[in-house]
Amino acid sequence: MENPLNNRKIIHVDMDAFYASVEQMDNPSLLGKPIAVGGGETRGVVSAASYEARKFGVRSAMSGYLAKKNCPDLIFVRPRFDRYREISLKIRKIFFEFTDLVEPLSLDEAYLDVTQNKKGNPSATLIASEIRKRIFEETGLTASAGISINKFVAKVASDYNKPNGQKTVGPEEVIEFLEQLPIKKFYGVGKVTAERMYSLGIFTGLDLKNKPLDFLEKNFGKSGRFYYNVVRGIHLSEVKPERVAKSVAAEHTFSENLTSEIFMLEKLERTAAELERRLKKYQIAGKTVTLKIKYSDFTLQTRSKTLPYFISDKSLIYENSKELLLQERMKNSVRLLGISLSNLNTEVKKTIVVQLKFDF
């Protein structure tokens, strides 16, 4: 009996080096040059890298110092999230012309379920081509797409012919595609997990498929069942137009390490104000306050407390996070402070995009 899930037509659209491409488009003098969007080489972190920079091993989340070391000619550009958001909304508007089943993952990528679509087009491949064409015509930017029967395979496929390309993996091609795929290309398999799999003799999808479920669960815990299923083309997650917000957060990375609690409290107050703005925008309140501390040696610590009532006011957020900050001595100087509010009063689904802010 045919699996009805194989009748789904899912597209994953991923903009090509989105932040960096926007900067190059808006400033033609940067075209063809290696650029990194994010903080400078002294204290910053790379948010995005142009393809010219990626050739030198520059990647997102890399420290600016290491990025500059890898690519001496690297040009740092300060992020302009309002501009990225503006273009992202234009792209999202295009998506909704084809289907209402759009699940944004971030400003630059989204899943679309076009099984039943507004154009009445039975070909998801042609729809993906039309979407990419429209994005280029209306924004000047290129996008890549993956098309398949589920979100996992579509996500993997969208990276296959980057940049400015697409790949379709039809129902009859899924198993062969996954069996031949290098394990490091599997979405959700990071560097550490890949190394672990290599040590167990798993280098391709076929190697993974040949491992029994109990073996995978023993070595990878709950993720073992996920790996067991996806390599067989089984991924039941639906495209969800809205996500349930579990927490709302704001955080700042400092241009210099902080050692004084006075300065930390000043930054904490600013962060509380930013968090209040986000909470009020979405009309959300929460009971659990969590303080995030990243030290100069990059170790991370969190401290939490749960209140008997909901809060969203910056003064209450600040007072509770201040209490968490001062409850024990700092073990080192601090490079980042963040506050999140969870245990929310969200009875309806809300979509929240939380953007990391950098303090230059």
Side-chain angles (χ1 to χ4, degrees):
M1 183 176 179
E2 184 180 359
N3 186 341
L5 292 175
N6 286 354
N7 294 323
R8 289 193 299 172
K9 298 174 182 178
I10 309 297
I11 301 173
H12 178 255
V13 180
D14 192 9
M15 299 301 295
D16 298 321
F18 183 52
Y19 296 173
S21 295
V22 171
E23 297 301 334
Q24 289 178 321
M25 178 179 68
D26 288 354
N27 183 356
S29 68
L30 297 176
L31 285 171
K33 296 179 180 178
I35 72 167
V37 177
E41 59 186 287
T42 306
R43 294 288 303 171
V45 176
V46 176
S47 290
S50 67
Y51 283 101
E52 294 85 357
R54 293 182 188 188
K55 293 176 182 177
F56 293 88
V58 179
R59 295 287 184 271
S60 61
M62 177 181 284
S63 72
Y65 172 78
L66 182 57
K68 189 71 172 180
K69 184 178 179 181
N70 287 355
C71 180
D73 295 326
L74 188 65
I75 301 169
F76 288 97
V77 181
R78 294 183 64 172
R80 298 179 298 148
F81 291 113
D82 287 343
R83 175 62 170 153
Y84 310 147
R85 205 169 285 114
E86 173 192 351
I87 296 177
S88 179
L89 290 174
K90 289 182 179 179
I91 295 167
R92 205 163 293 176
K93 186 177 178 181
I94 294 172
F95 294 159
F96 281 110
E97 290 184 27
F98 292 84
T99 177
D100 288 328
L101 294 178
V102 177
E103 181 181 341
L105 299 178
S106 60
L107 293 178
D108 61 342
E109 62 175 319
Y111 291 113
L112 292 76
D113 188 329
V114 296
T115 310
Q116 303 291 330
N117 60 84
K118 296 178 180 180
K119 303 293 185 179
N121 189 338
S123 172
T125 299
L126 293 179
I127 291 175
S129 295
E130 177 64 19
I131 288 173
R132 292 176 49 244
K133 179 173 178 286
R134 288 280 305 280
I135 290 173
F136 182 73
E137 290 174 346
E138 298 182 29
T139 70
L141 301 171
T142 63
S144 296
I147 307 98
S148 194
I149 62 171
N150 62 45
K151 289 163 68 174
F152 177 83
V153 182
K155 172 80 172 176
V156 173
S158 67
D159 197 46
Y160 210 81
N161 289 320
K162 264 186 169 292
N164 195 25
Q166 67 180 58
K167 180 172 180 59
T168 299
V169 183
E172 70 287 350
E173 302 170 312
V174 168
I175 299 303
E176 182 181 0
F177 173 76
L178 293 172
E179 286 180 348
Q180 295 179 356
L181 198 68
I183 204 65
K184 66 180 181 180
K185 295 287 188 180
F186 273 63
Y187 177 55
V189 175
K191 185 177 180 180
V192 174
T193 304
E195 292 295 335
R196 172 71 172 148
M197 288 194 174
Y198 295 159
S199 71
L200 296 169
I202 303 172
F203 299 93
T204 66
L206 182 59
D207 295 332
L208 178 62
K209 190 178 178 183
N210 286 334
K211 299 297 183 183
L213 177 60
D214 58 351
F215 175 88
L216 294 176
E217 288 182 330
K218 178 183 176 181
N219 286 281
F220 301 102
K222 292 181 180 179
S223 296
R225 182 172 291 275
F226 170 78
Y227 300 139
Y228 181 86
N229 285 329
V230 293
V231 77
R232 289 165 171 78
I234 302 169
H235 189 231
L236 305 182
S237 176
E238 298 179 5
V239 173
K240 300 174 183 176
E242 296 178 320
R243 292 179 169 184
V244 177
K246 294 184 178 179
S247 66
V248 186
E251 59 185 41
H252 288 88
T253 300
F254 311 126
S255 54
E256 295 182 1
N257 292 338
L258 301 182
T259 54
S260 167
E261 290 177 343
I262 294 175
F263 290 127
M264 290 182 202
L265 290 173
E266 177 187 329
K267 301 294 186 183
L268 205 62
E269 191 168 14
R270 287 176 51 196
T271 306
E274 172 66 17
L275 182 55
E276 179 197 54
R277 185 187 68 79
R278 294 176 183 177
L279 291 163
K280 291 192 172 178
K281 179 179 179 181
Y282 296 101
Q283 299 181 326
I284 289 176
K287 289 184 177 181
T288 301
V289 181
T290 300
L291 177 69
K292 175 181 176 182
I293 306 167
K294 184 179 284 186
Y295 294 99
S296 54
D297 62 359
F298 287 87
T299 58
L300 191 64
Q301 184 182 43
T302 58
R303 305 171 184 174
S304 299
K305 66 178 294 188
T306 299
L307 305 169
Y309 48 83
F310 291 103
I311 65 170
S312 62
D313 183 79
K314 65 181 178 183
S315 61
L316 290 173
I317 295 171
Y318 171 67
E319 287 302 321
N320 283 283
S321 56
K322 175 183 175 182
E323 180 183 323
L324 292 169
L325 181 72
L326 300 178
Q327 74 180 16
E328 61 181 90
R329 291 179 60 86
M330 297 294 169
K331 65 175 185 177
N332 209 333
S333 56
V334 173
R335 63 176 281 118
L336 176 149
L337 286 174
I339 310 171
S340 66
L341 207 60
S342 57
N343 199 358
L344 305 178
N345 64 341
T346 48
E347 296 180 359
V348 295
K349 293 183 178 180
K350 296 178 182 288
T351 301
I352 299 179
V353 177
V354 178
Q355 181 61 61
L356 176 67
K357 284 203 165 188
F358 292 93
D359 188 3
F360 294 96

